[in-house]
Amino acid sequence: MKYRMRWMSVMGAVVLAGGPLGAGAEPGPGSASDLFESILDGKPPQILKELLPAPEGVRVRRVLFRTRGKNMVYAVIASPKAPGPHPGMLLLHGSGGSAEEHKALAWAQRGYVALAPDIPGLYSPLTSGNLPMSKNYAEGRYALEPDSTHSVIYDGVLAAVKALDLLRAQPEVDPQRVGVCGVSWGGTMTTMVCALAGEKVRAAFAIYGCGFFELGNWRTNKPFPGARAGSWAGNLRPEEAEKWLRDFDPGRRAKGIKAAFFHASAANDFFGWPEAVQATLDAIPGEKNHVYAPNSNHRILVPGGSVFAEDEARGAGGRLAGSRANWVAMEVPYFEYHLKGVGEAMPRVSLKESESPHTARFEVRSTRPLAKVEVYWARAFTAEECADSERLRQAQSKREWISVEARGSLEEGYRAELPREAGVWFALVTDDRPVSVSSPLVSLPGAGR
């Protein structure tokens, strides 16, 4: 009885104190002071991730694998139920993303064993341990003390490399037929993983994933005193920047790439600028191909690119298709050719010697009919733009790539006349599948940067 009276006394004190409820008022739905009033709007929550059941004919495993210490990384492994061996596919998500489950299932439906991990470093919410996703976004990206293993990028590279080893170790995988595909942060990691893995990877498709950062977005990074420690490249001292690039820039490691390599690039990309992409491609000693998508920023707006028809996106017969199944449509014929020996190679564009810098000359090797052949040019950045980081950033994103008709044939080659104000150009070729590829990027002499 004593305890009951004490409880009643406390409750009485709360009511008698008055406050916003007023005498005799009761909190409840409709009351302006009710704790839950703001959530009683009937709106459904946003689904952040859908853990799909396995489609017919596909097995799915969801696993945690250890990287170092207590750190564990989440991954989805999707495989065909049909007996192997099958080619393997490592899928690396973009910044702010997580394991690409839909895409893993889509590759399994095509007859691949697909592994899609979370990649620590630039956020991946299903991974656990003492990893950067427990901190602020990208915090510690440029941390180098006491050594480079304290950068969160190290944990990202570690997770991606060990995910490749895990994929190759699956009993139904043919380890001689393994591909890597990634977008944005995952595209950069694709380049890095292939450089480190060498002959463990047969084919790779990197989307917005170049190296040589100092030729791209880093050019616009000014010091930012208010940035969190290790999160802003512009705050690095020159010797720190040199050390970070040595250890983590994939362009500087590209000479180790043994895989057939394709780079899909947006010519107005905010991070991987065409000059940085071309430097990365130039550093790869073996088989390589690429496309520059003109007037595009972090999208590949060319035939065979990142634009999918509405009926494709819906899919048919339970098969995932469109943007749920791929970042870029021409990933599929690329890997079918390199990992299964099915179909035909992509066209290849190579430069030819020209009698004038403003006459673009090139040749195309293709086993398929060509649907379109054109040249895109843009002016060079001015000295004033290069001297001002904000103006340079805007010039890159708003740079206008102008199309010029290319005349010629597969047998004789192609040519296009460029205006005097042209500072840089590339050819863009599309076949009938459609698949689009480009020539190397050409900077005209005396045109500036």
Side-chain angles (χ1 to χ4, degrees):
M1 191 66 181
K2 176 173 63 176
Y3 294 106
R4 183 181 178 190
M5 290 298 293
R6 180 177 297 170
W7 178 83
M8 290 178 67
S9 297
V10 172
M11 289 300 295
V14 172
V15 173
L16 291 175
L21 291 178
E26 294 280 343
S31 169
S33 63
D34 183 23
L35 176 66
F36 299 106
E37 175 66 23
S38 63
I39 67 172
L40 300 176
D41 54 12
K43 296 180 180 179
Q46 179 188 7
I47 295 175
L48 298 179
K49 187 174 183 67
E50 184 176 355
L51 301 179
L52 300 177
E56 184 177 352
V58 173
R59 294 189 183 92
V60 175
R61 296 169 63 198
R62 298 178 176 91
V63 303
L64 288 171
F65 65 88
R66 190 178 302 280
T67 51
R68 61 170 175 162
K70 297 181 179 180
N71 294 345
M72 295 182 293
V73 172
Y74 173 84
V76 176
I77 306 174
S79 58
K81 288 183 179 178
H86 303 290
M89 182 66 64
L90 179 64
L91 303 170
L92 303 177
H93 65 79
S95 170
S98 58
E100 290 279 1
E101 181 155 341
H102 291 82
K103 293 177 175 62
L105 295 175
W107 282 105
Q109 288 179 318
R110 300 185 190 108
Y112 297 74
V113 177
L115 192 152
D118 280 354
I119 313 173
L122 293 183
Y123 191 67
S124 38
L126 294 185
T127 290
S128 65
N130 184 25
L131 287 170
M133 60 287 307
S134 64
K135 305 182 180 74
N136 293 314
Y137 176 86
E139 185 175 348
R141 184 173 13 174
Y142 300 111
L144 295 171
E145 297 297 337
D147 58 48
S148 296
T149 65
H150 285 69
S151 167
V152 298
I153 303 301
Y154 178 85
D155 281 295
V157 175
L158 176 60
V161 168
K162 300 318 292 180
L164 174 65
D165 291 338
L166 181 61
L167 173 63
R168 287 169 47 84
Q170 298 306 299
E172 63 271 36
V173 170
D174 178 355
Q176 301 305 312
R177 294 186 293 146
V178 171
V180 183
C181 186
V183 67
S184 192
W185 159 233
T188 300
M189 294 301 290
T190 296
T191 308
M192 178 67 99
V193 167
C194 291
L196 294 171
E199 294 180 354
K200 293 179 182 177
V201 179
R202 177 178 284 191
F205 199 107
I207 307 162
Y208 330 120
C210 67
F212 294 101
F213 292 176
E214 76 279 12
L215 299 179
N217 176 268
W218 269 32
R219 291 169 67 180
T220 65
N221 275 334
K222 296 186 295 186
F224 180 36
R228 294 186 298 271
S231 65
W232 191 250
N235 289 348
L236 292 173
R237 299 189 301 272
E239 63 273 17
E240 292 175 327
E242 182 179 353
K243 180 180 180 182
W244 195 95
L245 291 169
R246 179 199 69 195
D247 291 340
F248 296 120
D249 179 71
R252 285 161 172 76
R253 297 180 178 271
K255 62 184 178 182
I257 294 176
K258 306 298 182 185
F261 196 90
F262 192 94
H263 194 289
S265 166
N268 297 75
D269 199 77
F270 73 92
F271 195 90
W273 299 8
E275 293 85 352
V277 173
Q278 191 61 53
T280 304
L281 290 166
D282 290 343
I284 298 172
E287 181 179 348
K288 56 202 171 187
N289 208 339
H290 65 284
V291 65
Y292 292 115
N295 304 310
S296 302
N297 183 358
H298 236 52
R299 300 180 72 190
I300 306 296
L301 302 181
V302 296
S306 58
V307 180
F308 297 91
E310 184 180 352
D311 58 340
E312 284 185 296
R314 285 199 299 265
R319 295 185 68 85
L320 292 162
S323 59
R324 299 180 76 194
N326 294 95
W327 293 295
V328 175
M330 56 188 172
E331 298 164 21
V332 178
Y334 179 80
F335 284 113
E336 290 284 282
Y337 176 78
H338 284 285
L339 300 185
K340 289 186 176 180
V342 175
E344 299 167 79
M346 290 183 170
R348 290 185 178 276
V349 185
S350 56
L351 300 174
K352 294 183 69 175
E353 186 175 348
S354 176
E355 62 276 14
S356 166
H358 286 81
T359 299
R361 296 192 63 201
F362 57 95
E363 58 186 7
V364 182
R365 291 185 319 214
S366 178
T367 58
R368 303 288 296 250
L370 299 183
K372 198 167 189 178
V373 180
E374 52 194 336
V375 168
Y376 280 86
W377 68 269
R379 67 171 182 84
F381 297 132
T382 66
E384 291 76 16
E385 287 168 340
C386 290
D388 185 304
S389 61
E390 180 56 26
R391 289 185 63 183
L392 183 60
R393 183 189 65 78
Q394 292 184 16
Q396 162 60 17
S397 64
K398 297 178 180 179
R399 199 178 208 180
E400 183 182 10
W401 294 90
I402 300 171
S403 175
V404 174
E405 182 184 3
R407 300 180 181 274
S409 65
L410 283 173
E411 294 75 20
E412 298 179 359
Y414 296 86
R415 64 190 297 144
E417 298 302 324
L418 303 174
R420 286 294 164 189
E421 61 266 32
V424 61
W425 67 270
F426 61 85
L428 180 64
V429 173
T430 299
D431 71 16
D432 64 344
R433 280 178 277 194
V435 160
S436 298
V437 300
S438 293
S439 73
L441 186 74
V442 179
S443 294
L444 297 180
R449 300 176 67 180

